[in-house]
Amino acid sequence: MHRFTGFPSAGMDFYEDLEADNSKVFWTAHKKVYDESVLAPMKALTDELTEEFGAAKIFRPYRDVRFSKDKSPYKTAQGAVVRAAPGVGWYVQISAAGLFVGGGFYQGSPGQLTLLRATIDDDVRGPELAAILGRLTDEGFVIGGEKLKTKPKGYSADHPRIDLLRHKSLTCGKEFGAPDWLDTPHTEREVRTAWQSIRPLIEWLAAVVGGGPS
């Protein structure tokens, strides 16, 4: 296992150039940069986090263009996820914009969404989630996820947690950009600390939609 030493600036430069020329010709000519300055550091980072959080899945760099109007063949970011339950997990990404760290409930079945909304509606468990999200917001995380424009069926528009009930997915994330420490081992500490902050949300979501203990 290679030790993580940071994300080199060459990786961000690679993605900036890929955004301008998303072609097989460019990719083939610069694949060594991707392998050495993007993929290898991401593997090393997630390996160092495995003991505490679990094994990561590093996403393939190729886009699925079968049903997309955008036929660009390559993703313009490298992401990795550690799954805690179906649809739930921690996330880390490097791109031209720098480092992004997050986590949450990214996608799930209709049954999972029904369970999530029923638990948000609960007068004990619902406020638990609201408090967790409040603490994350105070720490600089941005709460996101796909939301309905109107109230979900079966819930009142004046529900005290109607904004949470509108969520079809529920995530939080923090943009770190490209600080001076990004190309140093200190990045691992920042990602670890962020994932530790997110853990209460991951555990709450996993217990609800993953069938774990509540």
Side-chain angles (χ1 to χ4, degrees):
M1 183 180 76
H2 296 289
R3 293 292 298 174
F4 176 71
T5 58
F7 285 108
S9 60
M12 289 177 287
D13 292 342
F14 166 82
Y15 277 120
E16 186 174 355
D17 292 338
L18 182 63
E19 289 176 0
D21 183 8
N22 198 316
S23 69
K24 185 176 182 180
V25 172
F26 174 86
W27 181 270
T28 301
H30 296 85
K31 188 174 184 298
K32 184 177 180 181
V33 179
Y34 167 78
D35 288 340
E36 295 179 353
S37 298
V38 176
L39 184 59
M42 183 63 78
K43 286 181 176 178
L45 172 64
T46 53
D47 282 347
E48 292 191 14
L49 296 167
T50 295
E51 184 175 355
E52 182 172 353
F53 298 97
K57 173 186 177 181
I58 297 177
F59 292 111
R60 288 163 52 85
Y62 313 105
R63 296 183 63 248
D64 183 352
V65 300
R66 291 174 298 171
F67 308 107
S68 174
K69 292 181 180 179
D70 179 4
K71 299 302 182 181
S72 302
Y74 304 103
K75 298 174 183 176
T76 55
Q78 178 63 65
V81 64
V82 175
R83 291 194 174 94
V88 177
W90 289 273
Y91 183 74
V92 60
Q93 173 183 289
I94 192 72
S95 69
L99 179 68
F100 173 82
V101 183
F105 175 55
Y106 286 93
Q107 60 182 3
S109 67
Q112 285 179 302
L113 188 56
T114 296
L115 286 170
L116 177 62
R117 288 186 174 139
T119 311
I120 291 171
D121 180 47
D122 182 85
D123 287 336
V124 175
R125 300 301 308 283
E128 285 178 359
L129 175 61
I132 291 169
L133 295 175
R135 288 193 294 272
L136 287 168
T137 300
D138 290 343
E139 292 182 29
F141 290 90
V142 176
I143 308 305
E146 185 182 359
K147 297 170 69 173
L148 296 172
K149 294 181 179 179
T150 59
K151 67 180 183 67
K153 185 177 180 180
Y155 295 97
S156 171
D158 61 358
H159 191 287
R161 292 175 294 284
I162 188 60
D163 188 59
L164 288 177
L165 288 167
R166 289 194 179 104
H167 277 269
K168 297 175 70 176
S169 58
L170 180 59
T171 64
C172 73
K174 184 182 289 190
E175 296 276 4
F176 286 88
D180 291 342
W181 45 257
L182 188 57
D183 62 351
T184 76
H186 179 78
T187 297
E188 184 269 341
R189 187 186 310 169
E190 293 289 342
V191 175
R192 184 184 298 273
T193 299
W195 279 8
Q196 288 170 341
S197 294
I198 297 169
R199 183 182 289 280
L201 174 62
I202 299 298
E203 291 180 344
W204 191 97
L205 291 167
V208 172
V209 305
S214 60

